[in-house]
Amino acid sequence: MTSPEALLATLGPLLAAESRAEAPAAGVEPGDLEQAVWVRLLERLRDDGAPERPADWLRRAVRAEARRARRSSARELRYRPGGEPGSPESPEGSVLGAEHRRGIRDAVSRTPGPCPRVLAAMLDPADPTYREIAGTLGISQGSLGPTRSRCLGCLRRMLAAEVPLPGVRGRVP
């Protein structure tokens, strides 16, 4: 039986070559692939002893680890740190965007007549077509456009009345 140290010394160059060959296709660093195979080999030595044909076992292990790395990298999401405070990618930007959307939905619910239903249908995340919206609301497709325009005008006037005009800056009355 070969000692683990001798086995590790003889397989080192082969593992390095196999890892360099398989790593680019797996999207990992060759050193990471080598390390994973070394761990697998040491676990095997502890549990079952040395493989009968170590070089063949090593090649199969490198390919198996490369497949595992490809599968896991396909499911992983890259970390994208937030941008400047207030940008849409930052946590503050997300909260501000959600607050903005909530304010718009609240204003939509206060519009008169059929406007809340029409505007809510237009804001639907599923992005329905005019035909689908008209069918849902029970109105003709031809009247949907003018109704939408009147409702948006009403919403614009409501929001403009709620937002104070910018004051004169730098002037003391």
Side-chain angles (χ1 to χ4, degrees), residues 121-136:
M122 295 293 204
L123 291 172
D124 187 0
D127 196 25
T129 64
Y130 264 38
R131 176 176 285 170
E132 293 167 340
I133 293 172
T136 302

PDB file of all heavy atoms in Angstrom, residues 121-136:
ATOM      1  N   ALA A 121     -55.306  49.028 -13.149  1.00  0.00           N
ATOM      2  CA  ALA A 121     -55.111  48.041 -14.216  1.00  0.00           C
ATOM      3  C   ALA A 121     -53.875  48.387 -15.049  1.00  0.00           C
ATOM      4  O   ALA A 121     -53.132  47.513 -15.480  1.00  0.00           O
ATOM      5  CB  ALA A 121     -56.346  47.962 -15.101  1.00  0.00           C
ATOM      6  N   MET A 122     -53.652  49.694 -15.265  1.00  0.00           N
ATOM      7  CA  MET A 122     -52.476  50.119 -16.025  1.00  0.00           C
ATOM      8  C   MET A 122     -51.176  49.867 -15.247  1.00  0.00           C
ATOM      9  O   MET A 122     -50.138  49.623 -15.848  1.00  0.00           O
ATOM     10  CB  MET A 122     -52.566  51.607 -16.366  1.00  0.00           C
ATOM     11  CG  MET A 122     -53.697  51.947 -17.282  1.00  0.00           C
ATOM     12  SD  MET A 122     -53.408  51.222 -18.876  1.00  0.00           S
ATOM     13  CE  MET A 122     -54.370  52.274 -19.899  1.00  0.00           C
ATOM     14  N   LEU A 123     -51.244  49.947 -13.927  1.00  0.00           N
ATOM     15  CA  LEU A 123     -50.054  49.743 -13.099  1.00  0.00           C
ATOM     16  C   LEU A 123     -49.794  48.276 -12.775  1.00  0.00           C
ATOM     17  O   LEU A 123     -48.829  47.960 -12.084  1.00  0.00           O
ATOM     18  CB  LEU A 123     -50.196  50.528 -11.784  1.00  0.00           C
ATOM     19  CG  LEU A 123     -50.140  52.041 -11.893  1.00  0.00           C
ATOM     20  CD1 LEU A 123     -50.494  52.677 -10.564  1.00  0.00           C
ATOM     21  CD2 LEU A 123     -48.760  52.484 -12.352  1.00  0.00           C
ATOM     22  N   ASP A 124     -50.626  47.392 -13.262  1.00  0.00           N
ATOM     23  CA  ASP A 124     -50.482  45.965 -12.982  1.00  0.00           C
ATOM     24  C   ASP A 124     -49.109  45.478 -13.450  1.00  0.00           C
ATOM     25  O   ASP A 124     -48.708  45.722 -14.586  1.00  0.00           O
ATOM     26  CB  ASP A 124     -51.586  45.199 -13.712  1.00  0.00           C
ATOM     27  CG  ASP A 124     -51.619  43.727 -13.356  1.00  0.00           C
ATOM     28  OD1 ASP A 124     -50.789  43.290 -12.539  1.00  0.00           O
ATOM     29  OD2 ASP A 124     -52.486  43.020 -13.883  1.00  0.00           O
ATOM     30  N   PRO A 125     -48.353  44.778 -12.565  1.00  0.00           N
ATOM     31  CA  PRO A 125     -47.021  44.291 -12.953  1.00  0.00           C
ATOM     32  C   PRO A 125     -47.038  43.305 -14.110  1.00  0.00           C
ATOM     33  O   PRO A 125     -46.044  43.114 -14.786  1.00  0.00           O
ATOM     34  CB  PRO A 125     -46.489  43.611 -11.688  1.00  0.00           C
ATOM     35  CG  PRO A 125     -47.392  44.001 -10.587  1.00  0.00           C
ATOM     36  CD  PRO A 125     -48.664  44.489 -11.179  1.00  0.00           C
ATOM     37  N   ALA A 126     -48.184  42.661 -14.360  1.00  0.00           N
ATOM     38  CA  ALA A 126     -48.273  41.698 -15.465  1.00  0.00           C
ATOM     39  C   ALA A 126     -48.279  42.393 -16.816  1.00  0.00           C
ATOM     40  O   ALA A 126     -48.136  41.732 -17.848  1.00  0.00           O
ATOM     41  CB  ALA A 126     -49.528  40.846 -15.319  1.00  0.00           C
ATOM     42  N   ASP A 127     -48.445  43.731 -16.840  1.00  0.00           N
ATOM     43  CA  ASP A 127     -48.439  44.536 -18.057  1.00  0.00           C
ATOM     44  C   ASP A 127     -49.453  44.025 -19.080  1.00  0.00           C
ATOM     45  O   ASP A 127     -49.089  43.605 -20.182  1.00  0.00           O
ATOM     46  CB  ASP A 127     -47.035  44.567 -18.651  1.00  0.00           C
ATOM     47  CG  ASP A 127     -46.868  45.685 -19.663  1.00  0.00           C
ATOM     48  OD1 ASP A 127     -47.622  46.677 -19.567  1.00  0.00           O
ATOM     49  OD2 ASP A 127     -46.014  45.562 -20.552  1.00  0.00           O
ATOM     50  N   PRO A 128     -50.749  44.078 -18.712  1.00  0.00           N
ATOM     51  CA  PRO A 128     -51.771  43.576 -19.641  1.00  0.00           C
ATOM     52  C   PRO A 128     -51.937  44.496 -20.849  1.00  0.00           C
ATOM     53  O   PRO A 128     -51.602  45.674 -20.813  1.00  0.00           O
ATOM     54  CB  PRO A 128     -53.045  43.578 -18.783  1.00  0.00           C
ATOM     55  CG  PRO A 128     -52.800  44.621 -17.755  1.00  0.00           C
ATOM     56  CD  PRO A 128     -51.320  44.604 -17.491  1.00  0.00           C
ATOM     57  N   THR A 129     -52.484  43.932 -21.917  1.00  0.00           N
ATOM     58  CA  THR A 129     -52.746  44.705 -23.132  1.00  0.00           C
ATOM     59  C   THR A 129     -54.022  45.521 -22.943  1.00  0.00           C
ATOM     60  O   THR A 129     -54.794  45.292 -22.003  1.00  0.00           O
ATOM     61  CB  THR A 129     -52.927  43.767 -24.336  1.00  0.00           C
ATOM     62  OG1 THR A 129     -54.084  42.966 -24.108  1.00  0.00           O
ATOM     63  CG2 THR A 129     -51.703  42.893 -24.544  1.00  0.00           C
ATOM     64  N   TYR A 130     -54.264  46.479 -23.853  1.00  0.00           N
ATOM     65  CA  TYR A 130     -55.488  47.281 -23.800  1.00  0.00           C
ATOM     66  C   TYR A 130     -56.714  46.368 -23.877  1.00  0.00           C
ATOM     67  O   TYR A 130     -57.715  46.595 -23.206  1.00  0.00           O
ATOM     68  CB  TYR A 130     -55.506  48.287 -24.956  1.00  0.00           C
ATOM     69  CG  TYR A 130     -55.001  49.648 -24.587  1.00  0.00           C
ATOM     70  CD1 TYR A 130     -53.930  49.821 -23.722  1.00  0.00           C
ATOM     71  CD2 TYR A 130     -55.611  50.783 -25.099  1.00  0.00           C
ATOM     72  CE1 TYR A 130     -53.482  51.081 -23.381  1.00  0.00           C
ATOM     73  CE2 TYR A 130     -55.170  52.053 -24.774  1.00  0.00           C
ATOM     74  CZ  TYR A 130     -54.101  52.195 -23.915  1.00  0.00           C
ATOM     75  OH  TYR A 130     -53.660  53.440 -23.578  1.00  0.00           O
ATOM     76  N   ARG A 131     -56.646  45.348 -24.715  1.00  0.00           N
ATOM     77  CA  ARG A 131     -57.777  44.429 -24.865  1.00  0.00           C
ATOM     78  C   ARG A 131     -58.061  43.724 -23.539  1.00  0.00           C
ATOM     79  O   ARG A 131     -59.219  43.604 -23.125  1.00  0.00           O
ATOM     80  CB  ARG A 131     -57.475  43.407 -25.955  1.00  0.00           C
ATOM     81  CG  ARG A 131     -58.579  42.357 -26.095  1.00  0.00           C
ATOM     82  CD  ARG A 131     -58.314  41.426 -27.218  1.00  0.00           C
ATOM     83  NE  ARG A 131     -58.616  42.171 -28.444  1.00  0.00           N
ATOM     84  CZ  ARG A 131     -58.329  41.761 -29.657  1.00  0.00           C
ATOM     85  NH1 ARG A 131     -57.727  40.618 -29.820  1.00  0.00           N
ATOM     86  NH2 ARG A 131     -58.633  42.483 -30.698  1.00  0.00           N
ATOM     87  N   GLU A 132     -57.020  43.264 -22.848  1.00  0.00           N
ATOM     88  CA  GLU A 132     -57.208  42.578 -21.571  1.00  0.00           C
ATOM     89  C   GLU A 132     -57.755  43.537 -20.506  1.00  0.00           C
ATOM     90  O   GLU A 132     -58.645  43.173 -19.730  1.00  0.00           O
ATOM     91  CB  GLU A 132     -55.886  41.973 -21.087  1.00  0.00           C
ATOM     92  CG  GLU A 132     -55.381  40.853 -21.964  1.00  0.00           C
ATOM     93  CD  GLU A 132     -53.942  40.468 -21.665  1.00  0.00           C
ATOM     94  OE1 GLU A 132     -53.193  41.270 -21.059  1.00  0.00           O
ATOM     95  OE2 GLU A 132     -53.560  39.348 -22.047  1.00  0.00           O
ATOM     96  N   ILE A 133     -57.235  44.761 -20.477  1.00  0.00           N
ATOM     97  CA  ILE A 133     -57.710  45.749 -19.501  1.00  0.00           C
ATOM     98  C   ILE A 133     -59.172  46.078 -19.767  1.00  0.00           C
ATOM     99  O   ILE A 133     -59.993  46.115 -18.848  1.00  0.00           O
ATOM    100  CB  ILE A 133     -56.840  47.019 -19.537  1.00  0.00           C
ATOM    101  CG1 ILE A 133     -55.422  46.711 -19.040  1.00  0.00           C
ATOM    102  CG2 ILE A 133     -57.457  48.120 -18.691  1.00  0.00           C
ATOM    103  CD1 ILE A 133     -54.444  47.843 -19.227  1.00  0.00           C
ATOM    104  N   ALA A 134     -59.534  46.308 -21.030  1.00  0.00           N
ATOM    105  CA  ALA A 134     -60.922  46.630 -21.381  1.00  0.00           C
ATOM    106  C   ALA A 134     -61.840  45.480 -20.995  1.00  0.00           C
ATOM    107  O   ALA A 134     -62.941  45.700 -20.470  1.00  0.00           O
ATOM    108  CB  ALA A 134     -61.031  46.943 -22.867  1.00  0.00           C
ATOM    109  N   GLY A 135     -61.417  44.253 -21.237  1.00  0.00           N
ATOM    110  CA  GLY A 135     -62.229  43.091 -20.864  1.00  0.00           C
ATOM    111  C   GLY A 135     -62.400  42.980 -19.366  1.00  0.00           C
ATOM    112  O   GLY A 135     -63.495  42.675 -18.869  1.00  0.00           O
ATOM    113  N   THR A 136     -61.339  43.245 -18.617  1.00  0.00           N
ATOM    114  CA  THR A 136     -61.411  43.171 -17.155  1.00  0.00           C
ATOM    115  C   THR A 136     -62.335  44.242 -16.596  1.00  0.00           C
ATOM    116  O   THR A 136     -63.113  43.992 -15.673  1.00  0.00           O
ATOM    117  CB  THR A 136     -59.996  43.338 -16.542  1.00  0.00           C
ATOM    118  OG1 THR A 136     -59.152  42.320 -17.060  1.00  0.00           O
ATOM    119  CG2 THR A 136     -60.028  43.252 -15.038  1.00  0.00           C
TER     120      THR A 136
END
